[in-house]
Amino acid sequence: MSRRLFRWAVAAPLALVLAAGLTGCGSGTADTSAPASSGGAAKTLTVFAAASLTGTFTELGTTFEAAHPGTTVKFNFGSSATLAQQITQDAPADVFAAASPATMKTVTDASLAGQPTTFVRNRLEIAVPAGNPAKVNGLKDLADPKTKVALCAEQVPCGAAAVKALDAAGLTVTPVTLEQDVKATLTKVELGEVDAALVYKTDVIAAGDKVQGISFPEAEKAINDYPIAALTKAPAGDLAKEFVDLVLSPQGRDVLTKAGFDAP
Amino acid sequence: MTLSTRSTPPTAQGEARRRPGRSGVSGRVPWMLLVPAVVGMAFLVLPLAGLLARAPWATLARRLAEPQVLEALRLSLLTATAATAVCLLLGVPLAWLLARVDFPGRRLVRALVTVPLVLPPVVGGVALLLVLGRRGLIGQWLDDAFGVTLPFTTAGVVVAEAFVAMPFLVISVEGALRAADRRFEEAAATLGASRWTAFRRVTLPLIAPGVVAGGVLCWARALGEFGATITFAGNFPGRTQTMPLAVYLALETEPEAAIVLSLVLLAVSVIILACLRDKWVNSP
């Protein structure tokens, strides 16, 4: 009896593992999204947005809630690539606003979103700690080996843009670190651990007094488009489109340009 | 982690004698324990199965041969081992202090020592920057006096890993010290051994299994360290990019590459841990 029990105890998890392995290969398109609760009083709109939109979208969310009584807007801010991955794994999202067309493409390729619209553009700036201790004036100062520079990793949008801008300027910069996202890069500047970093203009503005921004002409070559789209499986249905319309409206643009974004 | 307690309380033996029927049946496992145990095991094993199921076996060999992967693996093993050495050097004496010396505020110190366990590693990394960074409390002085800056260096990776992993070592060594029979140390003292000699010749051999178990745990934690490392030491291939950092960044663009990297880290750590366990830790 006991031996049989033990054998079972070993066999059961193995069977589970096998089953998981088999189903794992075929799954990926399971529909888990809840049906839209149309007509209900309390509705929730879930917006997945790039981390750089945290401030502006939170503000627009409040505006949206005021215009649609009974509706709650929930945000999931993060790296665009991570968000895109979550959406393709059937995360219950209504709207996706990405920091790069490439990350939006993974969602549209999976037929999970309609035609995306570019709603803002973001340009790079050189961020230096308050007081600019290393006396950085332009992009060429970043190539000085004495200057400690932080860049975003090439895998994330701000890193790809940095490479483009540096290539356009014909400069080779050896950074001390390739950070995992733009906020982490900016933190290194805020703490004075690096002399300069390439981040978005909006991030420099959001950081306030702790960081100074220096614009440079080559940033023109590395403008980042931000696409937004309502998702086809949006649990909140039409509300998703209404939120996109708000972002694209003059009122939405006003909030975004105030934060440092360029109009498309 | 198995710590053998040497002194068996006499009551346990008496109880066993009173119920002789129990000793005969060695096997019947109560359902109340078996079911949660199996669920627990499945819970721990299934995510690994998920990794295996989604692994791109066809391109595995090619991806593994990429120099960046080997570089990250080499750096991971190197820094985790160095961090464990630092932890052993500082952590064992600290555990001894907590277990053997009665000083005011000992409970507070013990609580503080375990702080890195509950602190989110990213916060730990920021805290390290504030102290050891270029403008940090100590880091500023290090930079001025010696021109040494720890962030963005391999030494910085070791510091970050040691910070996060040391509590694991301290806790398990302290547990071993408390379980060890103090009469051996007292006997050594009556024979004229100083406290240092007694520690070296009597205590340390006595608690060796606990130290090794703690060291293994500490090494494993250091190997998987992500948050404190990327915050304090940054991410640069060959210098500070360990495997977990490489995995995280690969996930941004190439989830398949991330799975391959995870499998490598997993395989290496399981092999090393399994070998160490069999050799050093007397698990039944």
Side-chain angles (χ1 to χ4, degrees):
Chain A
M1 169 62 197
S2 69
R3 201 183 297 164
R4 205 188 306 158
L5 210 55
F6 266 123
R7 209 175 291 161
W8 193 85
V10 173
L14 275 181
L16 276 171
V17 166
L18 278 176
L22 290 175
T23 53
C25 297
S27 75
T29 48
D31 191 356
T32 52
S33 53
S37 55
S38 48
K43 282 194 208 170
T44 305
L45 180 76
T46 311
V47 178
F48 279 32
S52 43
L53 296 166
T54 307
T56 49
F57 267 43
T58 308
E59 191 181 336
L60 288 173
T62 316
T63 312
F64 192 80
E65 281 172 354
H68 298 77
T71 302
T72 317
V73 184
K74 278 207 274 182
F75 289 103
N76 181 10
F77 294 111
S79 133
S80 299
T82 309
L83 296 175
Q85 216 171 350
Q86 288 170 354
I87 292 168
T88 54
Q89 301 284 331
D90 280 325
D94 296 301
V95 176
F96 181 38
S100 74
T103 43
M104 177 59 87
K105 194 167 174 292
T106 54
V107 174
T108 49
D109 280 356
S111 313
L112 292 169
Q115 183 63 36
T117 315
T118 300
F119 64 105
V120 281
R121 314 173 81 189
N122 210 349
R123 64 174 65 224
L124 292 175
E125 269 192 357
I126 301 168
V128 296
N132 195 359
K135 309 267 176 296
V136 173
N137 288 317
L139 206 55
K140 63 173 192 323
D141 294 333
L142 270 55
D144 183 343
K146 284 201 290 285
T147 312
K148 280 195 179 183
V149 179
L151 297 179
C152 294
E154 216 180 323
Q155 288 94 330
V156 294
C158 60
V163 168
K164 240 193 264 177
L166 290 169
D167 279 353
L171 288 171
T172 316
V173 171
T174 310
V176 290
T177 177
L178 297 162
E179 294 291 312
Q180 79 271 30
D181 60 46
V182 69
K183 298 284 180 206
T185 312
L186 198 67
T187 305
K188 297 289 194 291
V189 180
E190 285 178 16
L191 292 173
E193 290 302 330
V194 294
D195 301 314
L198 288 183
V199 297
Y200 295 122
K201 186 179 162 194
T202 51
D203 296 303
V204 174
I205 292 176
D209 297 340
K210 283 175 284 184
V211 170
Q212 279 171 250
I214 301 162
S215 54
F216 57 98
E218 291 86 354
E220 209 61 51
K221 300 275 180 13
I223 298 276
N224 231 23
D225 287 346
Y226 280 51
I228 189 169
L231 300 175
T232 44
K233 287 199 222 162
D238 291 341
L239 274 180
K241 236 202 128 285
E242 285 178 43
F243 185 82
V244 174
D245 289 342
L246 170 68
V247 172
L248 295 172
S249 71
Q251 190 188 2
R253 181 153 300 166
D254 197 40
V255 170
L256 288 157
T257 46
K258 223 181 283 167
F261 285 106
D262 293 347
Chain B
M1 189 182 0
T2 47
L3 307 168
S4 56
T5 28
R6 280 169 191 268
S7 55
T8 320
T11 49
Q13 266 182 336
E15 205 171 311
R17 221 175 287 133
R18 234 177 290 133
R19 289 190 289 151
R22 200 202 62 154
S23 59
V25 188
S26 60
R28 186 190 276 254
V29 182
W31 283 105
M32 293 292 281
L33 292 178
L34 183 65
V35 172
V38 170
V39 171
M41 183 166 140
F43 176 61
L44 292 178
V45 171
L46 278 180
L48 307 184
L51 275 181
L52 289 174
R54 283 291 176 92
W57 298 106
T59 56
L60 195 68
R62 184 177 55 79
R63 287 179 193 275
L64 285 184
E66 280 172 28
Q68 276 221 348
V69 174
L70 296 176
E71 213 168 36
L73 183 63
R74 185 191 63 85
L75 194 67
S76 274
L77 295 174
L78 179 85
T79 51
T81 309
T84 308
V86 170
C87 289
L88 283 169
L89 222 59
L90 306 177
V92 173
L94 177 56
W96 180 83
L97 198 71
L98 288 174
R100 288 287 188 268
V101 182
D102 216 357
F103 59 91
R106 182 163 70 160
R107 293 172 78 172
L108 180 70
V109 172
R110 186 180 296 132
L112 288 177
V113 162
T114 51
V115 159
L117 281 180
V118 289
L119 205 65
V122 176
V123 178
V126 173
L128 283 174
L129 277 178
L130 294 176
V131 175
L132 296 171
R134 195 159 63 152
R135 290 193 188 169
L137 298 172
I138 299 173
Q140 203 167 20
W141 172 79
L142 274 178
D143 192 12
D144 289 345
F146 305 104
V148 173
T149 49
L150 280 172
F152 315 124
T153 62
T154 307
V157 178
V158 175
V159 168
E161 289 180 351
F163 176 76
V164 174
M166 192 138 83
F168 288 87
L169 181 94
V170 174
I171 286 176
S172 65
V173 173
E174 202 205 333
L177 278 166
R178 289 181 176 280
D181 197 334
R182 290 189 71 162
R183 282 175 300 181
F184 289 107
E185 288 168 32
E186 283 156 15
T190 58
L191 292 172
S194 69
R195 245 180 147 176
W196 165 238
T197 311
F199 172 77
R200 214 162 30 95
R201 306 283 293 272
V202 178
T203 316
L204 212 50
L206 211 57
I207 58 161
V211 173
V212 173
V216 167
L217 206 60
C218 174
W219 183 83
R221 179 65 187 88
L223 191 71
E225 219 301 304
F226 170 77
T229 308
I230 201 165
T231 310
F232 182 63
N235 168 60
F236 197 81
R239 196 163 59 216
T240 61
Q241 188 180 68
T242 55
M243 285 297 268
L245 272 57
V247 170
Y248 182 87
L249 281 164
L251 212 50
E252 291 284 328
T253 45
E254 259 193 300
E256 288 198 334
I259 292 172
V260 172
L261 291 170
S262 313
L263 283 179
V264 172
L265 190 62
L266 205 74
V268 170
S269 48
V270 165
I271 289 167
I272 292 177
L273 290 178
C275 290
L276 278 177
R277 247 193 125 74
D278 284 351
K279 202 165 157 54
W280 294 103
V281 187
N282 43 348
S283 53

